[in-house]
Amino acid sequence: TIAFGAAIGACQQAGEWRKAIQLFSVAAQRNVVLSTIVFGAVISACERGGVWERSLHLFSKMEQSEVECSTITFDAVISAFEKGREWEKAIQVLSIMLQRNVQMTTITHNAAIGACEKCGEWKKALHIFSRMPRNEVELDTITFSSAISACEKGGEW
């Protein structure tokens, strides 16, 4: 598991999502225990490669395998949906995180706000933005920039 996780992580860093998927497939064929780290690395590799559909497929596979999802894994899935302009799916993942009481970070919220922003869903973006202080999540430059951009794209400037 550790060797496959490290190799897939290296593929992720190198932007080699296809190789990450190949290694993941080999690990699965060899009955290697597919941990949160292994799933997270291959999901992140796909997210970085802009193939959000594969991230979703791997996320579903992770859920079926009953492997616990970490904040980092959820963040990668939401980021993949942001890149795919799938704001509704990004918000669904936020809901799953809330239901499971998984810690949501600035990165989590920024990716969801960004997904809404890219689709002109300024009201949804501002709703997520407004929840951050109540949930004691730090707002950063990206948070403000994405929220402002969402308003601009929605003609609410």
Side-chain angles (χ1 to χ4, degrees):
T1 299
I2 294 171
F4 277 103
I8 292 170
C11 292
Q12 171 203 359
Q13 294 298 318
E16 296 287 342
W17 65 269
R18 285 181 179 91
K19 288 182 182 173
I21 289 175
Q22 287 174 343
L23 285 169
F24 180 83
S25 296
V26 169
Q29 289 168 359
R30 293 185 180 175
N31 294 320
V32 172
V33 176
L34 300 172
S35 67
T36 301
I37 293 168
V38 172
F39 269 105
V42 74
I43 288 169
S44 291
C46 291
E47 177 264 323
R48 287 186 179 194
V51 287
W52 65 268
E53 299 95 342
R54 294 216 183 214
S55 292
L56 174 60
H57 175 73
L58 290 162
F59 179 67
S60 296
K61 200 175 238 184
M62 186 175 185
E63 296 274 286
Q64 292 167 1
S65 301
E66 297 181 7
V67 175
E68 186 176 332
C69 295
S70 68
T71 298
I72 294 168
T73 305
F74 279 117
D75 288 352
V77 171
I78 294 171
S79 292
F81 288 140
E82 175 188 9
K83 287 187 173 111
R85 297 178 181 265
E86 296 286 333
W87 69 271
E88 291 170 312
K89 290 178 180 170
I91 293 198
Q92 286 174 354
V93 174
L94 279 181
S95 295
I96 291 169
M97 291 178 78
L98 276 171
Q99 290 169 3
R100 294 184 186 173
N101 203 27
V102 176
Q103 180 184 3
M104 291 190 268
T105 65
T106 303
I107 294 169
T108 309
H109 288 81
N110 286 350
I113 291 169
C116 294
E117 174 258 327
K118 284 178 174 55
C119 296
E121 293 292 331
W122 65 272
K123 286 182 183 178
K124 297 286 185 189
L126 289 183
H127 176 72
I128 296 165
F129 176 86
S130 70
R131 288 188 356 211
M132 291 176 73
R134 281 186 270 153
N135 294 334
E136 299 179 3
V137 177
E138 184 178 331
L139 292 88
D140 64 9
T141 306
I142 295 169
T143 311
F144 286 104
S145 178
S146 294
I148 290 168
S149 181
C151 292
E152 179 184 19
K153 287 181 180 174
E156 297 297 322
W157 186 245

